[in-house]
């Protein structure tokens, strides 16, 4: 008695996730895995294979040669080790390539999806633990690989059922050449970081920051905006021709223009018109990009920002190996894409389509055989866990149908004593509520046709 | 010059994983994801849907009502929080169900795969960071659900291409009743833990431990071994009949026997003979099991131990909610299964089957169009990142073929200037090295037939 009292009064342990962490409910997890499956199928189709790396590393490994990491880390001392959780999948790739160099085939094409952690202040739609989904090709300077990255992104978006989107392309060599022409080489990284905000804060906002933070003159700022405003042309051929005319004397710019030209002209062989356009205002904040950079914007939800982005880097793993490893890669912004898909009320992925309900005293083995036959036909089917005869009261039809409708099955198959005797089943379409009795011999055919 | 010297001499950051952590090389990751895809397809087919939970929790959440956790945790102070990484997927499930109770449909069927962390001393084949792959049905006491867990395991093994394996079934109520009859109720947990080692240390070893650690008399130990030796009958009907004869007076044992009988008799409707057998020596060390328990042994690699195990528990989430949630679940031992599959030299999963090689000055867009057409037919195809005309020396045929053979493609399609002009391709079977020229119009058909 005393111990029962104690149990009744005991305090329950906290069950909720920490702030900034999330549970995925079944319908969210279904959409999440469905999207990952579709995207990784595209990665694989293009010859990118999966890898896996640990989530925990020595701090020195994650810091690489930067000495310090600007991201807020989950970092602690384990035994005598200074360890931390990875904050992206790029640093783990860099060290992976260095650590396994001799066992990899170059150019090395990999995809990787997994969780990363950043101890930032949580905001709406931003979590401290989230999933990244990257692909990269490492060990080639070829612009064919840059173009491929764009095509992979295109196909991944299409695989998700998206059609109205634009991939905006620029080149860091063009940007750097233009900045050099304006005498901004030293401040290039800061300037690019601010220009990257154009779509969020507009020309006025950018002008203000360039002037206040970096002390640029009106003349220099106008020079920058003249360049970024080329994107108003909204036509790659026109932009490229203007770039050549205005900045083509600069050797770096000329190299960049040549790549942009190759990429857009070749892409026309396989992409719909207007899908890939040159946009001089695309900067990508990250310091390590050195060639083409690209972002993807949903035409009907531009306020979401880029849902897939990436670019070329000169040397991926310089912190870990002396071998120079240029490459190109991109990352799908999974949570943004899922939010976009949800807003659009696209057909949500549905779970297992069929449930079998046993009514009355029907032997469980009848249900097992039926389910096995449906599985055999490649159709998912659940059997409601009905109480076997002799083990207590059977679960009522009402309770079973409540479960079936809550979980969102498409078809319920009812098997009662009568149906077993007659070698039939009741087949109920749960979307339309239409129900009819059909011969068991016809069930598989009927389901296959309907699903 | 000075800065270049500095660069040349700078120390590289450590790239290797910490001890007890592992990188998956491309071929390992391919096998790993292939196995996960096949297993989760079975889970889904039976109506188990995915969920996701955080990896990091408050320590209090992971400790539940036990106050202390016996597993070695990755635990630290983050800000003011005492946090830790999950050490299994069962505790996260328990708290997930409690935290999201109102939004779940019961009986709740979920699968979950993800990493877990235990700071144990690393051993061969045991890692500090590893992947678990669980399914559970929560909120039912129905033996139909227990049977379903066995069938899911069976189908998962078959999906992996395994055929020679046995699922060994026992019931904790039978075990507890027998222990009670021997006066061992107080020591039940310790006795079961030791009995669980029977297949590793044999009767002698177990006898020694039972005597030395628990001080059991020879008589009591003989009583235990008489019971576990029933598994020598190797026939469920015979075992069940012996159990009834010897221990059937005990009420708990009788309940357990009834379940074992139901499960084995019903399973015969869908499982091959001998796949599921009652084995009184199966104990499962874990304290929370209360009903049927099962293990899966590979007939040709019994030394591996159980590759899939699980059982029924009375109350999953008592630490987090007052609602009683009985259920049954199981876990696939992914690393053991992968090791078993590797030892057997089963057909390994292969990556993208086709590579397109451009020779000479062929326009990249020719390759892009060809690849798009092959993708359209649902076939994976990679285009070697050939240098576009005008961007430098093309990559030699030899280097491209070396890449193709290292990466293990099945077919190489060669497109040179001649082939483009003649609207043909060279199709080389890389397994047989047979090569022939075929019309481009016939390529898709030929590949589809061959793959």
């Amino acid at each position: 008695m005393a111990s029962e009292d104690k149990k009744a009064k005991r305090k329950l342990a906290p069950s909720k996730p920490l702030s900034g962490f999330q549970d995925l409910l079944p319908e969210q997890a279904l959409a999440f895995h469905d999207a990952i499956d579709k995207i990784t199928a595209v990665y694989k189709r293009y010859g990118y294979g999966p890898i896996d790396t640990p989530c925990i590393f020595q701090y020195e490994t994650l810091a690489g040669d930067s000495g310090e990491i600007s991201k807020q880390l989950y970092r602690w001392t384990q035994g005598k080790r200074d360890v931390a959780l990875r904050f992206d999948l790029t640093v783990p790739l860099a060290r992976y390539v260095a650590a396994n160099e001799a066992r990899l085939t170059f150019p090395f094409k990999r995809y990787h999806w997994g969780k990363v952690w950043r101890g930032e202040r949580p905001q709406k739609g931003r979590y401290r633990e989230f999933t990244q989904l990257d692909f990269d090709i490492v060990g080639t300077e070829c612009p064919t690989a840059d173009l491929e990255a764009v095509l992979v992104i295109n196909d991944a978006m299409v695989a998700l059922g998206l059609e109205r989107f634009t991939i905006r392309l620029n080149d860091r060599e063009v940007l750097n050449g233009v900045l050099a022409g304006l005498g901004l080489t030293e401040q290039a990284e800061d300037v690019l970081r601010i220009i990257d905000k154009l779509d969020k804060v507009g020309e006025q906002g950018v002008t203000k920051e360039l002037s206040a933070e970096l002390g640029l003159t009106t003349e220099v700022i106008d020079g920058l905006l003249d360049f970024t405003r080329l994107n108003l042309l909204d036509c790659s051929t026109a932009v490229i021709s203007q770039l050549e005319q205005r900045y083509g004397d600069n050797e770096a710019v000329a190299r960049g223009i040549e790549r942009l030209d190759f990429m857009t002209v070749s892409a026309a062989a396989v992409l719909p018109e207007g899908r890939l356009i040159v946009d001089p205002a695309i900067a990508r904040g990250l310091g390590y990009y050195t060639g083409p950079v690209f972002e993807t914007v949903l035409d009907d939800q531009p306020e979401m920002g880029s849902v897939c982005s990436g670019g070329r880097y000169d040397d991926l793993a310089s912190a870990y190996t002396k071998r120079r490893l240029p490459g190109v890669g991109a990352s799908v912004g999974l949570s943004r894409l899922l939010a976009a898909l949800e807003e659009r009320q696209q057909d949500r992925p549905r779970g297992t389509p069929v449930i079998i309900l046993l009514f009355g005293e029907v032997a469980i083995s009848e249900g097992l055989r039926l389910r096995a036959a449906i599985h055999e036909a490649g159709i998912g089917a659940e059997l409601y866990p009905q109480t076997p005869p002799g083990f207590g009261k059977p679960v009522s039809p009402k309770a079973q149908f409540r479960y079936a409708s809550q979980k969102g099955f498409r078809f319920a198959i009812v098997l009662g004593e009568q149906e077993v005797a007659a070698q039939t089943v009741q087949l109920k379409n749960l979307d339309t509520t239409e129900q009819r009795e059909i011969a068991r011999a016809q069930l598989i055919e009927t389901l296959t046709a309907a699903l």
Side-chain angles (χ1 to χ4, degrees), chain A:
Chain A
M1 212 23 215
S3 108
E4 280 206 3
D5 262 5
K6 203 172 150 194
K7 200 184 169 188
K9 277 185 198 157
R10 83 196 145 72
K11 226 178 112 194
L12 294 175
S15 65
K16 296 253 181 294
L18 285 159
S19 159
F21 292 77
Q22 73 174 150
D23 281 332
L24 289 187
L25 286 169
E27 59 275 19
Q28 295 173 313
L30 200 62
F32 175 83
H33 280 284
D34 182 68
I36 288 176
D37 288 349
K38 285 174 174 159
I39 294 166
T40 55
V42 170
Y43 291 175
K44 276 187 251 183
R45 192 199 294 162
Y46 275 88
Y48 295 80
I51 65 161
D52 192 43
T53 74
C55 299
I56 303 176
F57 286 102
Q58 285 188 69
Y59 177 79
E60 291 82 348
T61 299
L62 292 181
D65 54 8
S66 68
E68 247 176 82
I69 302 174
S70 60
K71 318 277 178 206
Q72 296 203 39
L73 280 194
Y74 284 92
R75 177 183 179 186
W76 69 99
T77 304
Q78 187 77 20
K80 288 176 205 160
R81 295 280 190 187
D82 180 7
V83 303
L85 288 166
R86 65 187 182 203
F87 56 89
D88 71 4
L89 298 179
T90 303
V91 170
L93 170 65
R95 56 136 297 276
Y96 177 94
V97 171
N100 302 293
E101 209 175 307
R103 285 178 288 182
L104 303 178
T105 302
F106 289 93
F108 175 55
K109 298 172 82 166
R110 81 87 176 83
Y111 74 83
H112 188 187
W113 74 271
K115 292 199 168 176
V116 302
W117 291 265
R118 294 182 192 173
E120 294 157 342
R121 178 190 287 272
Q123 298 167 36
K124 187 175 177 297
R126 291 199 92 143
Y127 293 94
R128 289 172 164 168
E129 176 178 309
F130 57 99
T131 295
Q132 287 196 336
L133 187 49
D134 289 11
F135 68 94
D136 284 83
I137 174 167
V138 178
T140 174
E141 296 190 280
C142 181
T144 309
D146 302 331
L147 175 54
E148 174 166 294
V150 166
L151 299 180
V152 170
I153 284 183
N154 175 75
D155 286 18
M157 301 285 288
V158 171
L160 292 176
L162 296 163
E163 279 165 10
R164 294 184 37 76
F165 62 93
T166 306
I167 303 173
R168 308 185 86 86
L169 176 69
N170 198 7
D171 194 292
R172 274 289 177 91
E173 285 211 281
V174 172
L175 277 165
N176 290 336
V178 170
L179 293 186
L182 293 165
L184 294 172
T185 298
E186 294 286 304
Q187 294 154 289
E189 202 163 322
D190 288 326
V191 173
L192 292 182
R193 184 178 43 78
I194 294 172
I195 285 184
D196 203 32
K197 300 182 189 169
L198 258 174
D199 57 343
K200 280 181 210 127
V201 302
E203 286 198 356
Q204 273 201 310
V206 164
T207 301
K208 215 166 138 186
E209 286 196 38
L210 288 171
S211 153
E213 277 190 41
L214 307 181
L216 302 195
T217 64
T218 315
E219 206 188 336
V220 169
I221 293 176
D222 283 348
L224 275 172
L225 294 179
D226 275 350
F227 169 71
T228 58
R229 265 180 219 140
L230 285 176
N231 68 2
L232 296 175
L233 294 170
D234 222 34
C235 158
S236 298
T237 323
V239 174
I240 287 173
S241 130
Q242 282 294 314
L243 287 174
E244 268 173 345
Q245 246 176 294
R246 297 199 203 170
Y247 312 100
D249 294 346
N250 180 303
E251 200 185 321
V253 174
R255 259 199 315 269
I257 292 173
E258 204 183 350
R259 267 196 302 255
L260 292 174
D261 190 50
F262 160 71
M263 288 176 71
T264 48
V265 169
S266 301
V270 283
L271 289 187
E273 211 190 317
R275 180 60 55 81
L276 176 69
I277 67 168
V278 175
D279 179 347
I282 298 296
R284 303 296 307 143
L286 294 172
Y288 52 77
Y289 289 127
T290 54
V293 286
F294 35 86
E295 296 189 347
T296 311
V297 182
L298 299 174
D299 297 346
D300 303 319
Q301 287 150 295
E303 72 285 355
M304 283 222 148
S306 176
V307 292
C308 300
S309 4
R312 165 164 290 282
Y313 38 82
D314 241 0
D315 196 1
L316 176 74
S318 61
Y320 310 100
T321 174
K322 282 172 184 161
R323 176 167 176 177
R324 189 170 155 262
L325 288 166
V328 55
S331 187
V332 165
L334 201 56
S335 42
R336 283 189 192 184
L337 269 174
L338 285 172
L341 289 171
E342 202 162 322
E343 264 185 43
R344 286 168 176 235
Q345 299 283 351
Q346 294 253 351
D347 270 15
R348 308 263 174 93
R350 294 174 75 163
T352 315
V354 175
I355 183 155
I356 302 167
L357 311 178
L358 303 182
F359 285 4
E361 295 271 311
V362 169
I364 301 298
S365 53
E366 294 288 344
L368 299 181
R369 272 197 214 94
L370 188 58
R371 178 173 61 186
I374 299 172
H375 285 179
E376 188 68 33
I379 298 171
E382 182 173 334
L383 172 65
Y384 187 89
Q386 178 60 290
T387 315
F391 279 83
K393 230 179 103 192
V395 179
S396 71
K398 196 178 157 193
Q400 292 191 63
F401 269 120
R402 193 188 320 123
Y403 173 84
S405 101
Q406 279 176 355
K407 213 173 150 182
F409 293 93
R410 296 179 59 186
F411 290 98
I413 296 169
V414 174
L415 208 55
E417 285 149 86
Q418 282 188 326
E419 286 80 14
V420 170
Q423 286 286 305
T424 62
V425 298
Q426 300 289 338
L427 179 64
K428 183 169 184 176
N429 183 323
L430 294 170
D431 293 338
T432 64
T433 74
E434 182 212 1
Q435 179 172 331
R436 59 197 172 112
E437 185 165 354
I438 62 169
R440 211 156 136 171
Q442 285 173 351
L443 176 64
I444 303 293
E445 204 183 323
T446 309
L447 284 176
T448 306
L451 290 168

